[in-house]
Amino acid sequence: MEKGLISVDRWTGYSQAYFLTHLHSDHTQGLSSTWAKGPIYCSRLTARLFPLKFRDFKLSLLRVLDVGVWHSLSLVSPSSSGAKSAVEVIAIDAHHCPGAVMFLFRGEFGCLLYTGDFRWEQINKKTKITRTMLLNALKDDVVDILYLDNTYCNPSYAFPSREIVAQQVVNIIASHPEHDIIIGIDTLGKEDLLLRISHALKIKIWLWPERLQTMHLLGFHDIFTTKTSLTRVRAVPRYSFSTETLEFLNATRPTIGIMPSGLPWVVKPLKRHDKPFGSLPWSGGSGSHTDKQNGDLQYVEKLNEYSYSVPYSDHSCFAELQDFIKLVQPTNIKGIVSSSTCYINPLYYFGRLCRANQPAQRLHWKHKRKGKGERAPTVWARATFSEGASAESEWERGRTVKVRYSGIHVSRTSALRRLQRGAKIVENDVLIE
């Protein structure tokens, strides 16, 4: 795809059309209320939530894409003196947070699928519906490049479905009937977890005022409150979740904290020789304070006297990524997360699943691409996380080095860190062209 045509979750530089997968801060860095570069395409729910994040934004710049419906754009090819370039796009539910979608693009450049952040739970009924929608959208098309949420692209990450973990959070709360409960969440996401707790225990949940406003826009009016006297369960911003806070609260009333995340959380400063994660509890390892022996709390990690961590993730784990890639059968894969302490190029583990590496598929692929040129299509997309990223990716940020490749600045983690995690390093190994 030509530069200057389309940008996804990237707000620097110039394009004719901009696409936003969802409203987490790591995907909107560079976007502001004064935006005027061009139209932004997003889901209907993201458009509804937009004024909360960008209060003075000119809403006439938003273009709503209904999920499951093909939309046609007539853009001008930057390299052919005003010639029109037809682009078709369909938004597909990403099951990440409210409003989050994947984008499937189709045009003279081929077929591209950009997942954004997504969760692909096979046993989830909504995912089964999305699976059918995606296959119907693809029909006989071959995905030339899959831009993949590679947050947990490592076999170490193997956590259960959100439904199972949500029930275990309910079990934790029910097993502490005399305690106040603090749950760390972001400004968007984990709504289904809170709803499950409320319905199962028949209680309201406290939220801070701005978060309550989001819930009201999502259609939830009777479940949440800002009055602490009405409930013992409070959902608080992640940044306020700490050992110090819990110790302070316990001086007045027994209180426990629960941190839902795909990554284990450290909520107190580490000693010099401590490992930040120890073994990864979600992959079967056993930390020094696990409650895994208790069948009702099988996946719960007790971090310290007052706090628990549970593997409730809005990103796909390794096995789910593998299932998704087997379904899509792309020709090539590029990760959208590049500045991660756990970064591994998805081709290292999944390259064998790509059509380009399957001899039986090569002839078919060449036939499908005949007449469309040999240049691999690319999409101008987000390359790095930056300040304001969603809390679940905070641990994944590390030192990065800037490299220049094909005239575009991209970011990648140090070779040493990647080698330590089993990554295969190749010359000019970058994520976007």
Side-chain angles (χ1 to χ4, degrees):
M1 184 183 293
E2 293 179 276
K3 300 174 187 177
L5 201 64
I6 285 174
S7 292
V8 181
D9 289 350
R10 187 182 185 278
W11 313 103
T12 58
Y14 290 90
S15 293
Q16 293 181 52
Y18 299 83
F19 290 79
L20 174 62
T21 59
H22 65 289
L23 278 171
H24 277 161
S25 295
D26 51 322
H27 292 253
T28 60
Q29 193 67 29
L31 182 59
S32 70
S33 296
T34 59
W35 175 265
K37 290 183 178 181
I40 297 176
Y41 294 83
C42 62
S43 69
R44 187 170 297 277
L45 189 49
T46 292
R48 186 191 306 170
L49 296 171
F50 218 89
L52 285 182
K53 191 172 183 70
F54 304 104
R55 295 193 179 278
D56 298 320
F57 189 87
K58 190 176 180 180
L59 296 179
S60 60
L61 288 172
L62 295 183
R63 304 288 188 271
V64 170
L65 299 180
D66 288 318
V67 171
V69 179
W70 279 104
H71 300 264
S72 296
L73 285 70
S74 181
L75 305 178
V76 178
S77 175
S79 62
S80 56
S81 303
K84 294 290 184 178
S85 177
V87 176
E88 290 185 308
V89 59
I90 186 172
I92 298 172
D93 198 338
H95 306 294
H96 174 67
C97 71
V101 291
M102 302 182 257
F103 292 117
L104 179 64
F105 296 98
R106 195 165 60 190
E108 293 180 356
F109 47 78
C111 183
L112 311 178
L113 177 56
Y114 191 96
T115 67
D117 293 344
F118 82 122
R119 183 77 197 264
W120 195 254
E121 296 166 297
Q122 292 296 304
I123 64 173
N124 188 292
K125 292 181 180 179
K126 293 180 180 179
T127 302
K128 292 180 180 179
I129 295 173
T130 299
R131 175 190 177 96
T132 300
M133 182 184 297
L134 177 58
L135 290 177
N136 288 339
L138 284 173
K139 292 184 179 179
D140 296 326
D141 281 340
V142 173
V143 174
D144 296 291
I145 297 182
L146 169 63
Y147 290 87
L148 182 72
D149 174 11
N150 56 316
T151 302
Y152 294 130
C153 185
N154 188 311
S156 297
Y157 296 111
F159 34 78
S161 70
R162 287 174 287 192
E163 182 179 356
I164 290 175
V165 180
Q167 182 57 51
Q168 298 202 345
V169 171
V170 170
N171 294 344
I172 295 173
I173 298 172
S175 65
H176 293 80
E178 304 301 323
H179 285 68
D180 284 349
I181 309 296
I182 301 296
I183 302 173
I185 63 170
D186 292 317
T187 56
L188 186 66
K190 306 295 191 292
E191 289 79 11
D192 287 344
L193 172 61
L194 301 181
L195 293 173
R196 178 68 174 266
I197 293 170
S198 177
H199 291 157
L201 300 177
K202 296 180 174 53
I203 57 175
K204 289 180 177 290
I205 296 177
W206 181 92
L207 290 172
W208 65 100
E210 293 79 7
R211 194 62 162 94
L212 182 66
Q213 192 175 1
T214 298
M215 289 299 193
H216 287 172
L217 281 176
L218 294 174
F220 306 117
H221 297 280
D222 301 323
I223 295 173
F224 303 97
T225 180
T226 55
K227 297 180 180 179
T228 55
S229 60
L230 296 181
T231 180
R232 67 185 183 95
V233 178
R234 284 175 279 172
V236 303
R238 284 187 189 265
Y239 63 77
S240 66
F241 188 100
S242 67
T243 298
E244 290 74 17
T245 300
L246 289 168
E247 288 176 346
F248 174 79
L249 293 171
N250 273 278
T252 305
R253 178 174 171 76
T255 304
I256 63 168
I258 301 173
M259 179 57 69
S261 173
L263 283 171
W265 279 78
V266 178
V267 294
K268 62 180 179 180
L270 294 173
K271 295 179 181 179
R272 181 176 180 182
H273 299 295
D274 285 347
K275 295 181 180 179
F277 295 150
S279 58
L280 290 173
W282 318 152
S283 62
S286 177
S288 59
H289 300 288
T290 63
D291 282 342
K292 290 186 176 182
Q293 295 82 1
N294 184 335
D296 293 333
L297 302 176
Q298 182 182 359
Y299 298 101
V300 176
E301 180 81 2
K302 191 169 184 180
L303 297 173
N304 54 43
E305 182 180 0
Y306 303 119
S307 57
Y308 296 84
S309 182
V310 295
Y312 189 102
S313 177
D314 289 327
H315 295 265
S316 298
C317 65
F318 184 84
E320 292 165 349
L321 292 176
Q322 183 170 264
D323 288 339
F324 185 77
I325 292 167
K326 287 181 177 178
L327 174 71
V328 174
Q329 298 183 53
T331 299
N332 196 7
I333 308 172
K334 293 181 181 290
I336 66 173
V337 180
S338 62
S339 58
S340 163
T341 58
C342 300
Y343 168 72
I344 292 179
N345 188 325
L347 285 175
Y348 178 67
Y349 285 114
F350 301 130
R352 60 183 175 80
L353 300 178
C354 292
R355 288 175 180 265
N357 294 326
Q358 298 175 15
Q361 297 286 352
R362 287 176 184 168
L363 182 61
H364 171 71
W365 175 74
K366 288 181 179 180
H367 173 72
K368 292 289 293 180
R369 298 291 299 141
K370 185 177 180 180
K372 294 186 179 181
E374 298 180 356
R375 183 176 180 272
T378 61
V379 60
W380 193 232
R382 180 178 61 98
T384 63
F385 284 111
S386 41
E387 289 302 322
S390 62
E392 190 165 324
S393 53
E394 290 285 339
W395 278 111
E396 302 164 50
R397 290 214 299 276
R399 289 195 312 145
T400 61
V401 293
K402 293 290 184 180
V403 297
R404 180 177 284 272
Y405 182 65
S406 298
I408 297 176
H409 285 293
V410 296
S411 177
R412 66 180 177 185
T413 50
S414 68
L416 176 60
R417 182 182 294 117
R418 294 175 59 188
L419 284 170
Q420 289 173 339
R421 286 162 177 79
K424 181 180 180 181
I425 307 298
V426 297
E427 189 66 24
N428 292 329
D429 183 14
V430 295
L431 294 180
I432 50 177
E433 298 173 325

